[in-house]
């Protein structure tokens, strides 16, 4: 969002203002989403802990507890999975900023790519840590495969962006 603002306000780059305005709004929406995801992850964890504290005396209570843990754990998977999905958008947006943004903000756009990569990797870890607690094998297999694919996508986008940043930064030294 900052790179977009610094791009359309820079002399000589005003023609990019409509596109940078749109990209800046997308970036702000992503920033807001990622901020909310932190709280949603905490809430999901608290729901898992609450489910684990449910009574387990008697078959009926055990069954209710097991179901509650399963549902809460799926919720704890979905929050980081959503972060993984949105990390793809963040990585693509960072790549656009590297390609089109203010050259004086190139390093900032590169850092955005690194942040997208780290958000994706952290989210991937948080998906994986919760999957073993689930009994729904189809859900586990589908979610694990989807998470791996999303991480691969983010990594590929960020690899290209990182190369572009380094190439341009090193070219400026020559």
């Amino acid at each position: 969002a900052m790179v977009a603002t610094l791009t359309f306000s820079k002399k000589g780059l005003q023609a990019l203002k409509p596109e940078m305005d749109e990209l800046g709004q997308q970036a702000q929406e992503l920033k807001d989403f990622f901020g909310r995801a932190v709280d949603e992850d905490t809430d999901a964890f608290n729901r898992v802990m609450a489910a684990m504290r449910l009574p387990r005396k008697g078959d009926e209570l055990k069954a209710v507890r097991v179901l509650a843990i399963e549902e809460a754990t799926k919720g704890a998977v979905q929050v980081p999975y959503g972060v993984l999905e949105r990390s793809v958008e963040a990585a693509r947006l960072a790549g656009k900023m590297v390609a089109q943004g203010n050259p004086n903000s190139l390093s900032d756009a590169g850092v955005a790519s690194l942040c997208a990569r780290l958000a994706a990797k952290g989210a991937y870890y948080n998906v994986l840590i919760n999957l073993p607690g689930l009994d729904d094998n189809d859900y586990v297999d589908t979610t694990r495969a989807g998470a791996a694919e999303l991480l691969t996508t983010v990594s590929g986008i960020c690899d290209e962006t990182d190369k572009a940043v380094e190439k341009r930064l090193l070219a400026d030294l020559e």
Side-chain angles (χ1 to χ4, degrees):
M2 179 188 76
V3 175
T5 300
L6 293 173
T7 300
F8 71 68
S9 63
K10 182 164 174 62
K11 187 177 179 177
L13 297 176
Q14 293 93 344
L16 295 173
K17 185 172 178 155
E19 183 175 6
M20 288 297 135
D21 188 43
E22 174 63 30
L23 295 175
Q25 287 178 27
Q26 290 174 19
Q28 188 61 46
E29 288 171 14
L30 283 168
K31 181 181 148 222
D32 294 344
F33 166 81
F34 288 128
R36 285 189 312 272
V38 172
D39 293 334
E40 290 171 7
D41 190 59
T42 299
D43 292 343
F45 173 78
N46 289 337
R47 284 190 294 276
V48 171
M49 296 309 295
M52 289 187 171
R53 287 190 294 271
L54 289 172
R56 50 182 133 183
K57 290 188 179 187
D59 292 341
E60 192 173 313
L61 289 178
K62 281 181 189 176
V64 168
R65 181 177 179 271
V66 167
L67 182 61
I69 291 171
E70 183 86 1
E71 290 306 309
T73 302
K74 282 183 178 179
V77 167
Q78 287 307 304
V79 174
Y81 196 92
V83 169
L84 253 172
E85 290 173 325
R86 299 298 298 268
S87 295
V88 173
E89 295 174 48
R92 287 186 178 133
L93 189 56
K96 287 179 183 178
M97 287 296 138
V98 166
Q100 301 170 339
N102 185 334
N104 295 328
S105 299
L106 178 62
S107 61
D108 296 309
V111 169
S113 175
L114 295 172
C115 289
R117 181 190 303 270
L118 290 174
K121 191 70 167 188
Y124 179 70
Y125 289 163
N126 284 325
V127 167
L128 293 182
I129 200 164
N130 286 299
L131 290 177
L134 294 170
D135 292 328
D136 184 344
N137 291 330
D138 289 337
Y139 177 86
V140 169
D141 293 344
T142 300
T143 303
R144 182 178 50 231
E149 184 177 325
L150 288 165
L151 181 62
T152 298
T153 299
V154 171
S155 295
I157 295 166
C158 291
D159 287 347
E160 291 302 313
T161 301
D162 294 348
K163 287 176 193 172
V165 169
E166 288 181 24
K167 181 179 178 182
R168 286 179 55 195
L169 289 174
L170 291 170
D172 289 344
L173 293 173
E174 294 173 0

